Structure formats: structure tokens, C-alpha cells
Amino acid sequence: MQRKVIIDCDPGQDDALMLFLAFAAPKELNILGVCAVAGNVPLEKTQRNICILSDIIGNENVPMFAGCDKPLTNVGLTAEHVHGREGIDGIDIFSPKTKLQPKGAVDFIVETLLSAADDEITLVVTGPLTNIASAMLREPAILPKIREIVVMGGAMREGGNITPSAEFNIFVDPHAAKIVFECGRPIAAFGLDVTHQVFTSPSVLERIAMLDNRVAKASHGMLSFFGRYDAQKYRAQGAPLHDPCTIAYLLQPELFELKSCNIRVETDSELTMGHTGVDFWGVTGLPANTQWAYSVHRDGFFDLLIERLSRY
Ligand code: RIB
Ligand code: CA
């Protein structure tokens, strides 16, 4: 049964692989729209990047939208040191044929959800949660329409990647993350604890290099670039494929192990701003609000990703 999804992202090389995986699943996913948010790089680049990636995918019917250019409250932060100045460094940047819709992403999310049935639409979020929280604040009536929120964000045992205690997507807009985690709708969260189990490697890149299509070649270029920073930082052989975990979960949930937990987001402490308090052992007695992913079958994940890339 095809699942209706709205994708919200901040490309980002790993967001790009997430989009490539999502668009290679037409039987499983009905992508209603792709929204850009400020995150890895400023909005002016993430909105351009979704259009570039749309061209590379050969997309002609899924609309692209620009969203929020800064977080709800905190000062914006970007990650060019990880993703490069353009956000999707590793490929030649070009002026895309795909054009952004005139409507803003938040308007698109609100209008699409309001016209949907209850529990009909899945939100896939792989950047700061600003667009999603803004839609919820503007129109709370959208909440019952959300079937599930599948988010890349947070950290527990793995610690933070942008501060000692916070993961980037949550840290950039912790107030937005708090709103989403407290919204009461089903959430599946893929934090660093699970995304750091799917680092790329030379053999993964070799397998992708064997694929003879435009998407695979773009993937190889971006992952080669994306790997340089995290490989050095984590003394690894490549980069963690954070964002594709969301789509892999929708396509093959059996690849993952998740646990029902209460998650709260720190929005006050300067030291731990953006920390996700994942109550894995139920010590707070607070009701669970999230399915927290803590394990993934690495080989199965890369087999899925590479097989789907081969379909382009
Ligand atoms: O912390 C990793 C997350 O932050 C990923 O989504 C990456 O693309 C960046 O947005
Ligand atoms: Ca991202």
C-alpha cells in the first residue's frame, strides 16, 4: 500500500542520498512534495539544492518548496565545514531546470494536511524541524492528519555531533524540535546512535561506482566529498549516512530495532541546548512519545540503498 509522504530536508549530501532512495521507491512512496529548510547551508542554497537534485533524479512531477530561512528562536547555524560551501559539494553545481513553487513550504504543508484524511500523511524530516513546527503552530488542525513523523535527529549514547550533547538538526532549532516531539503524533526518530552504525566505506563507494547512471555518479561524488570530514573526525573510513535511514525504515522497517521511549528536548540550558533526553530505560515514568531507533542491519541497509540506486 503506497504511503503518502512530504519530505522536509536541508541538502546536504546525506539528504541527497535520502531523496535518491525515496524517488527510487515509487511503488512504496507517493511523494507529495519536497520542502527545503535552512540547515546544513542557508535556505538560498538548500532550496536550490532540492531543485538540482530533482533534475539529477529526473523528477518532473513532484513539486519543490522553499521553507523557513531561520530557526523559530535561536540564531541560525550552518555546517559548511561538513557539507562544503554549496551543501552538496562533490558534484558540479548547475542552474537547475526544476523551479521552486511560488507557494511557501509551510503553506504547502498546512494546505496539504488540511485537505487530507486523518492519519493519511507521513512527514519525513531530515533537517532542522522549523518548517514542521511552524506548520503545527500556524494550524494545529493538521495534527490528526499526520500518520507518522519520521525524523533524523537526536542522540543518546553517541553524544552530540555539534556540541558534546546535541545533534545538529535538533541543536539548530531546539524549540521547533520540542514542539514536534510534544505534538502527540506517532514519531520514529533516527538519531546518531543508529546513523553512526551506517558509515560508508571504500567498498560501499566501489559498489556505487560500478553503477552506470547519473544518480549513482552524483552519489559517488557527494559521498567521496562528505566522507572526508567525518572520516577524519571519527577515524572512520567514510561518512555516516544519517538521512537515508528515514526512508530505509519506511521501505524495510525490519532493518531497524526501535524502542518506545519518552524524548524531551532541552531548550534552556546553554551547556546542553538541543540535547534529546531519551528515556531508554523508562526512569522518568513519562509516557513514551517516540519510537527511538537504536540498531540497524548495516549490510541490509547498504544492499537496499545500492540496489535502489541501480534502478535509475
Ligand atoms: O546531524 C546530522 C544531520 O544534520 C543530518 O541530517 C545532516 O544532513 C545534517 O542536517
Ligand atoms: Ca539533513
Side-chain angles (χ1 to χ4, degrees):
M1 173 79 171
Q2 221 187 18
R3 190 190 277 248
K4 289 185 179 178
V5 300
I6 292 175
I7 296 175
D8 194 272
C9 56
D10 64 334
Q13 290 88 351
D14 57 324
D15 301 78
L17 270 288
M18 176 276 296
L19 289 172
F20 292 164
L21 183 56
F23 277 82
K27 287 196 175 61
E28 299 93 334
L29 303 178
N30 175 4
I31 305 171
L32 303 179
V34 177
C35 304
V37 68
N40 286 319
V41 288
L43 178 69
E44 63 179 325
K45 291 191 174 174
T46 58
Q47 68 185 37
R48 175 207 62 194
N49 292 347
I50 59 171
C51 293
I52 287 176
L53 297 168
S54 171
D55 278 13
I56 292 172
I57 288 163
N59 168 49
E60 292 181 349
N61 52 28
V62 176
M64 302 286 143
F65 299 90
C68 300
D69 63 357
K70 56 183 177 300
L72 293 185
T73 308
N74 287 9
V75 173
L77 174 84
T78 52
E80 285 88 345
H81 61 293
V82 179
H83 297 273
R85 192 162 53 91
E86 301 306 326
I88 50 174
D89 296 56
I91 60 170
D92 293 336
I93 300 298
F94 57 89
S95 177
K97 274 203 341 279
T98 301
K99 299 300 175 212
L100 291 165
Q101 296 295 310
K103 183 181 297 181
V106 177
D107 290 337
F108 164 72
I109 294 166
V110 169
E111 291 169 18
T112 305
L113 287 171
L114 283 181
S115 61
D118 285 1
D119 305 315
E120 186 177 11
I121 295 181
T122 296
L123 305 178
V124 175
V125 195
T126 64
L129 289 85
T130 316
N131 289 344
I132 306 304
S134 299
M136 291 178 175
L137 288 171
R138 182 184 303 176
E139 184 46 85
I142 66 173
L143 288 175
K145 314 301 183 97
I146 300 170
R147 172 177 171 179
E148 186 175 23
I149 303 169
V150 184
V151 56
M152 189 280 139
M156 181 190 156
R157 294 186 179 91
E158 194 64 11
N161 60 357
I162 193 73
T163 73
S165 52
E167 178 277 324
F168 180 82
N169 287 340
I170 308 299
F171 181 76
V172 168
D173 198 340
H175 300 85
K178 177 179 171 63
I179 288 166
V180 174
F181 276 96
E182 293 178 356
C183 76
R185 300 307 295 154
I187 298 172
F190 296 79
L192 301 181
D193 295 59
V194 74
T195 68
H196 280 188
Q197 295 175 34
V198 284
F199 273 79
T200 58
S201 65
S203 67
V204 164
L205 288 184
E206 280 157 28
R207 289 170 69 188
I208 294 174
M210 306 272 281
L211 304 176
D212 183 20
N213 66 58
R214 187 181 182 190
V215 167
K217 297 209 177 312
S219 300
H220 188 270
M222 284 189 282
L223 292 181
S224 301
F225 179 91
F226 184 42
R228 88 218 178 287
Y229 176 80
D230 280 343
Q232 181 267 329
K233 174 179 176 181
Y234 295 107
R235 295 189 182 75
Q237 290 188 311
L241 284 195
H242 307 288
D243 296 337
C245 285
T246 58
I247 302 298
Y249 163 74
L250 291 178
L251 300 183
Q252 287 186 14
E254 66 278 9
L255 289 174
F256 296 88
E257 289 185 272
L258 302 97
K259 184 172 185 189
S260 191
C261 300
N262 177 272
I263 297 184
R264 288 178 289 169
V265 180
E266 176 59 61
T267 55
D268 297 317
S269 157
E270 188 184 335
L271 173 63
T272 58
M273 178 67 78
H275 173 71
T276 43
V278 180
D279 186 7
F280 195 84
W281 301 112
V283 296
T284 66
L286 293 172
N289 56 3
T290 306
Q291 290 296 316
W292 174 252
Y294 62 92
S295 175
V296 58
H297 187 279
R298 183 184 189 281
D299 291 348
F301 170 85
F302 280 109
D303 288 349
L304 169 67
L305 177 64
I306 291 164
E307 194 281 322
R308 293 295 172 123
L309 290 178
S310 75
R311 297 189 185 188
Y312 280 96

